[in-house]
Amino acid sequence: MKRILIIIASLLCLYSISGQTIESTFQHTKFIKASGKNITSNGHLKFVYPAYLEMKYSVPQGDYFIIDGKNVKINMNGKKATVDTDKNTTIRNQRNTLINCITSNYEQAANDNNANISLSEKNGNKIIVISAKKIATRGYSKITITYRKADNMPLEIILEEFNGTINTYKMSNIKKK
Amino acid sequence: MFFVKIYRFFNKHKLLMYSILLLSSIVFVYFGLKLQYEEDLSNLLPSSKSKESGLVFGNLKVKDKIFIQMQGESPQTMIQYIDELMDSILVYDEYIANTFYKVDADLGLSAIDYILGHIPIFVDTSLYHQFDSAIAQATTTMAENYELIMNDESGTITQMVSTDPLNLRQFILPQKSTNLGYTFIDGHIFSKDSSVILAFISPNFQSFDSKSGSNFIHDISTAIDKFSESHSDVEILLHGAPVRSAGNSDVMKHDIFFTVGIALLIILFVLCISFRSVSIISQQIFPVVYGTFFSLACMYWIKGCMSLMSLGIGSVVLGVAISYSLHVIIHQKFTGDIVQMLLDEAKPVCLGCITTIGAFLGLMFTQSELLRDFGLFATFVLIGNTLYALIFLPHFLKNKEKQSNNKILTFVDKINQYPYDRKPLIVIFVIMIIIVGIIFTPKVKFDNNLKHIGYESEKLLKSEALYAEKNNNGGIQRYYAAISPTLDEALNVNQKLSHCLDSLKNKGILTSYTPIVSQLFQSQETQKQRINAWKAYWTKEKINQANTAIHLAAQKYNLDANIFMPFQAMVEMDYETGNLYQEGIIPDGLICNFIENSNNKYLIFNAVQMKDKSKVIVDEIIEQLPHTVVVDPFYYTGNMITLIHKDFNTTLLISSIFVFIVLFLSFKNIVIALIAFMPMFFSWYVVQGFMALLGLEFNLINIIISTFIFGIGVDYSIFVVQGLLSGARGENLQMLDYHKTAIFFSAFVLIVVVLIMLVATHPAIKSIGISTLIGMGATILITYSLQPLLFRWISKNVFFNKFLKK
């Protein structure tokens, strides 16, 4: 019964976002558990349904992470690359997870990560927690997404890796077009 | 009488004759111009001894790649420059299959990702005992991990360490194998000392497509020249098989134009002066042009393409071709009667043509495409030229117009009428030359290295030398390949090849060899074995042992042991086999150095470095291995050329027998046939002997000249014998003089051609000059002295006299 509800909720969210362009500012925090370091950066996000996600960093200036169809363009830590996700499982997983989280297609995100889903509500927001069933070399041990209940806009995405590294994306000034 | 009848028929039907001539000329020119040319020397040689080594002659990117080298002061400037230069070259994308001049960052990301997903297949089963040591040394490794983690600002290294805290990666891919022997700076390829930046281009045209090859190399050279004008702080060099081939082709075309053009100008000028006639130019040129286009059209119909070098050597045949029309023109000038001229000349001209063709046709028995092309081309030139000389040319000559002697012709007469055969000193001199020739013949050497007859520009040699110095430790780089119809089989064969090369390296025969391919690519069977070995090693006990070691070590360095969860996932995971070749992770410009599919066969390449002197030994050892080839066409051509040389004696014997039979059937007397045969027989020994004496070597090209000397020797002797017979029978006492005048001018024509060849740039064309000159000189001396002397002696014989009067 829970699974059916999740699927229905997921489909409704997907319907609500399809055909839209979303723009927002974001703050990205990377916590490296091993060293205890926190790296904070921020920038501007633009998403065009179904699979264009542009994250342009203003801090550090010039860095970007762009999903354009099956290609991912990266300019981070001084390294530039355009990755064909058909040839790279790790980046493909990262690409799919982000797209699925933004489009509220968390059912798919859970499947991709061999994970369970749980739904809850807090402060009028919908919270989805995707927890991996099994440890893996790649992918995420836990994904937490907070959606604005009114319009299913993602407010926060937390991606936890198996080595404890946590990437948190907090969206603000969200505009739908 | 046949040609007389044709002459009389066409004389009555001039319009028909002109129509046939015009129509046939248009057809021959049209189809002759459609003929394609092959300019890669290596492709002209015999199809190799096995189908597998035949692949080496085909289009292989590893063999056909173009090397661009830029030498300058600062690596950063060179990086900027090479990107700029390559941008200007990449616009010629219709000629480019792929390039390799920088490694994009995504290659590293995707490679790591692939390795992570297929770790067991990169672990040789012999390495597992080292894993035990790695577990035992977990604490030491953790100290290094701690440093790496604490200095990591982006989390990337932490990710690697958390997956591999025991540093097992050190066993998977040795560091040195990943750099391919180059230095990488900002993803760009540099020589080991970082002083030269490199770019590699694989063309997408077939190696025999000389037009595209020449165009592309010209485009690259233009781009480089333009770039160099504005960037004088760097030097750019270019080499590789297509560059060599294009240079060869350009020089060959220039030399053909130069030698044939200049020779024709001199010859026609002298003939005009000698005969005080301008019309002799058209009378000389048209038969040759007609014969040439007839031959080119025939070559097009039969083969569609021929070697450009055959055409180059074929310019010598034009000398023979000119001599037939010369005989017709000169005889007409002296008799003033076209019918009489045809009656006198048709037989010796036809006989000369048939025997010369016989000499050239001997080449058809060789396995070399080059020699066969030359033989066929020469044969058709002679047929076309002879037909024109005997059918069409008489209609352009003036009847009842006799040549009045001028100073030049009087001088020629004096030379011809000198009784060489009655001067003992000259006769003894000629006999001595023959004896010396026979004695030294066994000492003549044959150079089987095709590279020695190919043209190499100074810039090309400089580029090759720079690459060898910077990247091959001053030695040479050589590729050896395992070949099989399927990738799996080829990879299995490559394992054996790799072991063999490894043992040669351990013995010090190879200066460098890293089995990159066998480390990166494994057959499905090997992959399954390795996955099973991984499973067998990582038992629950072993995983617990490793985890305990990691936990204890982590605690020691105050690290949270949970960050190493990915390691546990890695050792517990179920793995499947993969296909790195087809994943598309490695860019085409790089993977073509490892694996290539050609003619439905997979070739796995292994690059090795060695001293030049070791090449012969290593080649022989590798060639003995099954399904393994040396990726160097010159290795196989060397053997093939040696075989051709051995075959050549048989070829000459076949030609000699054919010529002798034709002479015997024609003259119906064995003694006369022997006298006619003598100049070609002895002149061949003189050529060989004097080549040996002068320290000159035969090569694939000038050995062809022997057939030419055969042809011309037979021609001269046939005309002289015909003249001697005519005189002895009292038919025409001046016949010998007429023939000798024609022979004089024919020899003049050939000597001019040959002398101009001596100043040619291309080594192949140049090499023809000296041997032809010796052969020509010997032929004329024997024809003018020994032949008449022997004929006179034999004429005194009663039985022979009876034959003459028949």
Side-chain angles (χ1 to χ4, degrees):
Chain A
M1 188 61 187
K2 186 189 167 192
R3 191 165 182 83
I4 293 166
L5 283 174
I6 289 169
I7 292 170
I8 292 167
S10 180
L11 286 171
L12 283 171
C13 293
L14 197 59
Y15 174 75
S16 67
I17 204 159
S18 62
Q20 288 187 348
T21 297
I22 303 166
E23 286 193 45
S24 76
T25 54
F26 72 90
Q27 188 185 57
H28 174 196
T29 309
K30 184 169 193 174
F31 170 64
I32 305 168
K33 189 181 179 185
S35 58
K37 283 179 186 168
N38 254 314
I39 305 162
T40 307
S41 48
N42 55 59
H44 182 263
L45 179 149
K46 182 183 176 186
F47 174 78
V48 181
Y49 188 85
Y52 183 84
L53 174 67
E54 183 185 276
M55 293 169 82
K56 286 191 173 173
Y57 289 80
S58 42
V59 179
Q61 176 72 39
D63 277 13
Y64 56 75
F65 181 91
I66 300 169
I67 296 168
D68 186 2
K70 64 170 195 168
N71 290 325
V72 174
K73 293 171 191 169
I74 307 167
N75 182 17
M76 283 178 160
N77 310 312
K79 283 184 181 173
K80 261 187 186 179
T82 300
V83 182
D84 178 351
T85 53
D86 284 347
K87 298 174 189 171
N88 190 315
T89 314
T90 309
I91 306 282
R92 182 169 65 240
N93 186 271
Q94 194 178 354
R95 175 232 181 242
N96 292 348
T97 303
L98 277 170
I99 294 283
N100 287 326
C101 288
I102 289 174
T103 56
S104 307
N105 193 6
Y106 37 83
E107 174 80 358
Q108 188 59 46
N111 279 341
D112 289 349
N113 286 281
N114 189 24
N116 293 315
I117 304 178
S118 70
L119 272 125
S120 63
E121 279 189 27
K122 193 179 175 186
N123 301 331
N125 294 323
K126 188 166 72 184
I127 296 165
I128 308 291
V129 179
I130 299 167
S131 309
K133 293 174 192 166
K134 204 178 161 189
I135 54 163
T137 52
R138 295 177 282 207
Y140 303 101
S141 58
K142 189 176 169 189
I143 301 166
T144 310
I145 320 155
T146 307
Y147 294 105
R148 194 158 63 190
K149 200 179 176 188
D151 54 5
N152 281 315
M153 286 297 112
L155 298 173
E156 187 181 67
I157 301 171
I158 303 169
L159 304 170
E160 291 186 44
E161 295 171 17
F162 288 97
N163 64 4
T165 299
I166 303 169
N167 282 285
T168 307
Y169 299 91
K170 276 186 181 171
M171 270 65 80
S172 52
N173 303 322
I174 301 169
K175 288 171 194 164
K176 288 192 286 181
K177 288 180 184 172
Chain B
M1 279 305 285
F2 173 72
F3 288 102
V4 174
K5 279 180 187 170
I6 291 178
Y7 171 73
R8 284 180 176 144
F9 174 76
F10 278 142
N11 209 24
K12 285 177 192 166
H13 305 86
K14 288 269 186 193
L15 189 65
L16 178 68
M17 189 275 293
Y18 286 122
S19 303
I20 292 173
L21 179 61
L22 188 69
L23 195 71
S24 60
S25 300
I26 291 169
V27 169
F28 298 151
V29 170
Y30 176 76
F31 287 105
L33 290 176
K34 287 179 85 171
L35 184 68
Q36 297 286 310
Y37 296 100
E38 165 71 78
E39 287 156 34
D40 186 350
L41 269 178
S42 57
N43 287 340
L44 307 172
L45 289 144
S47 51
S48 44
K49 57 184 175 184
S50 77
K51 280 182 183 173
E52 284 174 350
S53 54
L55 288 172
V56 173
F57 292 85
N59 294 296
L60 296 179
K61 290 186 178 72
V62 75
K63 163 179 79 74
D64 297 330
K65 64 186 167 191
I66 297 163
F67 298 70
I68 297 176
Q69 299 180 95
M70 188 186 278
Q71 205 171 12
E73 291 295 320
S74 142
Q76 286 309 323
T77 310
M78 286 193 277
I79 286 171
Q80 185 196 328
Y81 283 3
I82 201 81
D83 285 346
E84 203 180 314
L85 175 66
M86 287 306 288
D87 283 346
S88 67
I89 290 172
L90 285 167
V91 296
Y92 307 108
D93 56 348
E94 72 266 33
Y95 296 124
I96 300 170
N98 59 58
T99 57
F100 181 54
Y101 65 101
K102 59 180 174 186
V103 180
D104 292 328
D106 69 304
L107 172 63
L109 293 172
S110 300
I112 290 168
D113 177 72
Y114 185 85
I115 292 169
L116 200 59
H118 300 86
I119 274 199
I121 64 173
F122 295 103
V123 182
D124 191 291
T125 49
S126 63
L127 294 174
Y128 282 105
H129 69 279
Q130 291 178 305
F131 278 24
D132 287 337
S133 319
I135 295 168
Q137 289 168 11
T139 313
T140 318
T141 312
M142 198 57 75
E144 293 162 13
N145 291 342
Y146 182 79
E147 288 300 316
L148 288 171
I149 289 168
M150 292 306 157
N151 291 318
D152 179 25
E153 294 300 326
S154 66
T156 317
I157 293 170
T158 305
Q159 201 169 21
M160 179 188 77
V161 170
S162 62
T163 312
D164 181 24
L166 297 174
N167 194 16
L168 299 177
R169 58 191 174 276
Q170 63 179 309
F171 308 117
I172 295 168
L173 280 176
Q175 293 298 305
K176 60 183 176 180
S177 73
T178 54
N179 62 19
L180 304 166
Y182 302 116
T183 298
F184 286 87
I185 301 173
D186 284 350
H188 287 72
I189 312 153
F190 281 82
S191 59
K192 283 175 199 166
D193 64 359
S194 312
S195 64
V196 179
I197 194 164
L198 298 154
F200 306 96
I201 302 172
S202 295
N204 73 351
F205 44 82
Q206 302 287 307
S207 60
F208 59 76
D209 183 359
S210 54
K211 195 178 168 188
S212 299
S214 282
N215 287 347
F216 185 44
I217 298 302
H218 181 260
D219 290 340
I220 294 180
S221 302
T222 309
I224 289 174
D225 290 346
K226 207 174 163 185
F227 186 86
S228 300
E229 276 173 22
S230 52
H231 302 81
S232 54
D233 52 332
V234 288
E235 186 186 17
I236 304 163
L237 294 167
L238 187 69
H239 73 271
V243 184
R244 185 180 279 270
S245 181
N248 220 22
S249 158
D250 287 347
V251 173
M252 179 74 77
K253 280 174 187 163
H254 171 266
D255 277 1
I256 291 171
F257 181 76
F258 177 76
T259 53
V260 175
I262 302 281
L264 266 178
L265 278 179
I266 296 173
I267 291 159
L268 295 172
F269 177 73
V270 171
L271 289 177
C272 284
I273 298 282
S274 303
F275 293 97
R276 287 178 182 167
S277 160
V278 182
S279 62
I280 200 164
I281 295 178
S282 57
Q283 291 165 2
Q284 273 298 315
I285 285 182
F286 282 143
V288 177
V289 173
Y290 188 86
T292 305
F293 276 103
F294 169 76
S295 181
L296 293 175
C298 290
M299 292 299 284
Y300 172 75
W301 290 322
I302 295 170
K303 296 191 65 188
C305 75
M306 72 177 281
S307 77
L308 189 67
M309 191 169 276
S310 303
L311 187 67
I313 307 160
S315 58
V316 176
V317 183
L318 302 184
V320 188
I322 279 179
S323 84
Y324 292 145
S325 33
L326 255 181
H327 277 286
V328 169
I329 295 164
I330 291 172
H331 205 81
Q332 164 63 15
K333 295 260 180 220
F334 287 117
T335 59
D337 181 349
I338 291 173
V339 173
Q340 185 57 48
M341 178 276 289
L342 283 172
L343 283 171
D344 291 344
E345 287 296 318
K347 184 181 174 183
V349 166
C350 283
L351 199 57
C353 177
I354 292 168
T355 50
T356 310
I357 285 170
F360 286 132
L361 273 178
L363 296 171
M364 299 305 291
F365 292 92
T366 66
Q367 294 174 54
S368 159
E369 193 80 12
L370 175 83
L371 297 187
R372 284 206 300 263
D373 276 2
F374 172 69
L376 214 55
F377 174 71
T379 299
F380 288 123
V381 168
L382 293 180
I383 292 173
N385 181 76
T386 306
L387 289 176
Y388 187 96
L390 294 175
I391 295 172
F392 300 117
L393 183 59
H395 297 278
F396 295 97
L397 301 174
K398 286 178 184 166
N399 231 340
K400 293 172 186 170
E401 186 190 56
K402 274 199 170 188
Q403 174 71 41
S404 58
N405 261 11
N406 56 39
K407 278 182 187 173
I408 296 174
L409 289 179
T410 311
F411 173 70
V412 171
D413 278 350
K414 267 189 183 174
I415 293 173
N416 284 334
Q417 282 166 9
Y418 187 80
Y420 300 93
D421 54 317
R422 292 177 194 274
K423 301 289 174 185
L425 276 177
I426 293 176
V427 172
I428 290 168
F429 175 70
V430 173
I431 293 170
M432 286 299 290
I433 284 175
I434 293 170
I435 292 169
V436 169
I438 292 170
I439 291 169
F440 282 92
T441 287
K443 293 187 177 172
V444 71
K445 286 183 181 165
F446 187 83
D447 180 4
N448 70 355
N449 193 335
L450 258 191
K451 278 185 180 166
H452 296 162
I453 53 170
Y455 173 75
E456 293 165 321
S457 70
E458 273 181 31
K459 268 192 161 183
L460 177 95
L461 291 173
K462 191 179 174 186
S463 184
E464 287 178 343
L466 178 69
Y467 187 84
E469 180 201 328
K470 299 287 180 183
N471 304 293
N472 301 337
N473 303 316
I476 56 163
Q477 188 180 42
R478 219 154 162 71
Y479 282 95
Y480 298 101
I483 298 180
S484 266
T486 66
L487 182 59
D488 261 16
E489 284 173 35
L491 288 166
N492 284 333
V493 173
N494 193 59
Q495 291 289 346
K496 287 169 197 157
L497 171 60
S498 184
H499 287 148
C500 179
L501 290 170
D502 233 6
S503 71
L504 288 172
K505 188 191 162 195
N506 294 336
K507 286 175 190 166
I509 298 171
L510 301 179
T511 52
S512 172
Y513 169 62
T514 312
I516 302 170
V517 182
S518 53
Q519 286 171 346
L520 285 178
F521 304 92
Q522 294 82 30
S523 67
Q524 291 292 314
E525 187 191 333
T526 308
Q527 288 187 44
K528 280 176 192 164
Q529 282 171 4
R530 288 185 174 189
I531 290 169
N532 289 336
W534 177 274
K535 278 183 188 164
Y537 179 81
W538 290 111
T539 56
K540 277 189 177 168
E541 292 73 27
K542 189 65 80 179
I543 293 170
N544 285 337
Q545 185 192 341
N547 278 336
T548 308
I550 291 164
H551 278 236
L552 289 171
Q555 273 175 5
K556 193 177 173 187
Y557 290 93
N558 281 329
L559 289 170
D560 183 345
N562 287 331
I563 66 167
F564 302 113
M565 293 289 267
F567 168 77
Q568 195 176 335
M570 180 181 80
V571 294
E572 284 178 348
M573 205 168 117
D574 286 327
Y575 290 94
E576 286 178 1
T577 58
N579 190 337
L580 181 58
Y581 176 67
Q582 285 178 345
E583 283 290 332
I585 293 170
I586 304 173
D588 290 346
L590 180 58
I591 206 164
C592 68
N593 291 296
F594 305 144
I595 300 175
E596 192 166 346
N597 187 294
S598 178
N599 289 345
N600 297 321
K601 293 217 169 161
Y602 284 91
L603 288 95
I604 315 280
F605 303 111
N606 293 265
V608 302
Q609 287 170 10
M610 64 184 102
K611 296 284 172 211
D612 197 21
K613 61 180 183 187
S614 309
K615 185 173 77 176
V616 178
I617 307 164
V618 180
D619 285 356
E620 287 306 318
I621 292 170
I622 301 301
E623 181 56 17
Q624 298 303 313
L625 297 175
H627 310 298
T628 305
V629 293
V630 182
V631 189
D632 178 9
F634 290 102
Y635 169 73
Y636 296 100
T637 55
N639 290 344
M640 293 302 142
I641 292 171
T642 307
L643 281 177
I644 290 172
H645 183 217
K646 283 177 185 167
D647 279 357
F648 210 78
N649 293 324
T650 319
T651 308
L652 287 181
L653 186 69
I654 293 167
S655 296
S656 304
I657 292 167
F658 175 82
V659 169
F660 186 76
I661 290 170
V662 172
L663 290 173
F664 177 68
L665 291 174
S666 174
F667 291 116
K668 297 181 180 71
N669 182 292
I670 194 146
V671 180
I672 292 181
L674 279 171
I675 289 173
F677 185 68
M678 182 180 63
M680 69 177 265
F681 182 76
F682 286 131
S683 60
W684 175 228
Y685 282 99
V686 173
V687 172
Q688 289 186 97
F690 278 81
M691 289 282 282
L693 258 180
L694 296 171
L696 300 170
E697 291 182 352
F698 271 113
N699 57 43
L700 181 70
I701 305 303
N702 62 17
I703 194 93
I704 298 169
I705 291 314
S706 58
T707 57
F708 165 73
I709 294 162
F710 263 40
I712 204 72
V714 173
D715 284 354
Y716 290 172
S717 63
I718 285 170
F719 282 109
V720 168
V721 166
Q722 196 72 29
L724 289 168
L725 281 172
S726 186
R729 284 168 181 158
E731 292 166 359
N732 185 350
L733 294 172
Q734 284 186 301
M735 180 78 94
L736 184 61
D737 293 339
Y738 298 160
H739 282 324
K740 276 190 167 181
T741 306
I743 289 172
F744 178 89
F745 281 105
S746 164
F748 166 76
V749 164
L750 288 165
I751 286 168
V752 167
V753 171
V754 165
L755 282 176
I756 287 171
M757 278 183 165
L758 285 177
V759 295
T761 315
H762 200 286
I765 294 185
K766 207 171 182 174
S767 75
I768 296 170
I770 193 78
S771 57
T772 314
L773 211 58
I774 299 168
M776 285 289 304
T779 304
I780 292 167
L781 275 173
I782 297 168
T783 309
Y784 272 50
S785 58
L786 289 190
Q787 222 175 2
L789 177 72
L790 286 174
F791 189 85
R792 206 172 58 244
W793 282 356
I794 288 161
S795 302
K796 290 172 187 167
N797 183 290
V798 182
F799 293 108
F800 191 72
N801 249 320
K802 278 181 189 172
F803 161 78
L804 283 178
K805 283 168 188 170
K806 273 181 187 173

